[in-house]
Amino acid sequence: GDSVTQMEGPVTLSEEAFLTINCTYTATGYPSLFWYVQYPGEGLQLLLKATKADDKGSNKGFEATYRKETTSFHLEKGSVQVSDSAVYFCALGNNNDMRFGAGTRLTVKP
Amino acid sequence: EAGVAQSPRYKIIEKRQSVAFWCNPISGHATLYWYQQILGQGPKLLIQFQNNGVVDDSQLPKDRFSAERLKGVDSTLKIQPAKLEDSAVYLCASSIRRRQETQYFGPGTRLLVL
């Protein structure tokens, strides 16, 4: 069945460092791919999404490109801030189903 | 646009007691989901409603969990009797129609079973 595998954490970075969180997937057909973010004590919020191959989703300085050839949707940000500290979930939507990765905790230190 | 509302935000009960959670989805969203999120894990779907009908409850422990969505709007999730392993955050989400679309999450209810 469909599945999502994302980079294990936790990830700790200094402010203004470059961020990459890896996400790969297995799916049949043409899934949509998502990154959700969960701040402490809150529910998940959609960060960005891409619905077809080569699409780039972007929001708040974060970017991810839907790569069908490598079945990947890695999350990147050029310069992280303390306020980006949260748990990030990669997700795959396909065939009336949504699968979430286990989450990667990011801590950004000043 | 108002987001997904959930209450209560926190609940502490003893094992074998019962508890109920409430969710009001975004207006106009036909599909409503209840997820269980155990600490350190991703959300696990418990049940999905399309309007007031159940679409998928394959991972709902039906011996103790029940859910309803009367009138196709708000929903309640009940646990009776609770077990220690039910300690988790219960997330409600909604989407316009299908599960593979963007889902919008409420803040969650954090349950601690002692």
Side-chain angles (χ1 to χ4, degrees), chain A residues 32 34 36 38 41-44 46 49 89 93-98 100-102, chain B residues 9 35 37 40-43 48 55 91 98-103 105-107 110:
Chain A
S32 296
F34 305 82
Y36 284 86
Q38 187 174 33
E42 299 183 14
L44 279 69
L46 178 68
K49 70 177 184 181
F89 292 91
N94 196 28
N95 295 325
N96 201 30
D97 193 9
M98 181 77 81
F100 290 89
Chain B
R9 292 295 310 274
Y35 289 90
Q37 186 180 23
Q41 298 182 17
Q48 174 186 345
V55 173
L91 296 167
R98 296 183 299 175
R99 196 190 301 183
Q100 65 209 65
E101 300 169 342
T102 301
Q103 297 185 15
F105 287 80
R110 186 173 299 274

Side-chain angles (χ1 to χ4, degrees), chain B residues 10-92:
Chain B
Y10 305 94
K11 192 73 177 179
I12 301 174
I13 61 173
E14 294 187 350
K15 60 182 179 183
R16 291 188 289 274
Q17 286 187 325
S18 63
V19 64
F21 312 128
W22 174 83
C23 172
N24 191 38
I26 292 174
S27 176
H29 282 195
T31 310
L32 184 148
Y33 315 84
W34 283 103
Y35 289 90
Q36 181 191 60
Q37 186 180 23
I38 292 172
L39 189 64
Q41 298 182 17
K44 169 191 161 186
L45 182 72
L46 293 175
I47 189 167
Q48 174 186 345
F49 291 95
Q50 184 87 14
N51 297 308
N52 60 351
V54 175
V55 173
D56 183 356
D57 63 357
S58 57
Q59 298 197 77
L60 187 74
K62 298 180 187 64
D63 57 334
R64 299 184 300 106
F65 286 64
S66 64
E68 60 182 11
R69 189 183 184 196
L70 300 176
K71 301 180 181 178
V73 181
D74 55 353
S75 175
T76 55
L77 175 70
K78 296 179 182 177
I79 308 175
Q80 182 179 12
K83 292 185 174 181
L84 297 178
E85 58 261 37
D86 298 332
S87 295
V89 177
Y90 291 84
L91 296 167
C92 180

Side-chain angles (χ1 to χ4, degrees), chain A residues 86-109:
Chain A
V87 181
Y88 293 81
F89 292 91
C90 186
L92 178 152
N94 196 28
N95 295 325
N96 201 30
D97 193 9
M98 181 77 81
R99 300 294 174 101
F100 290 89
T104 302
R105 179 175 298 278
L106 170 67
T107 300
V108 180
K109 296 188 174 181

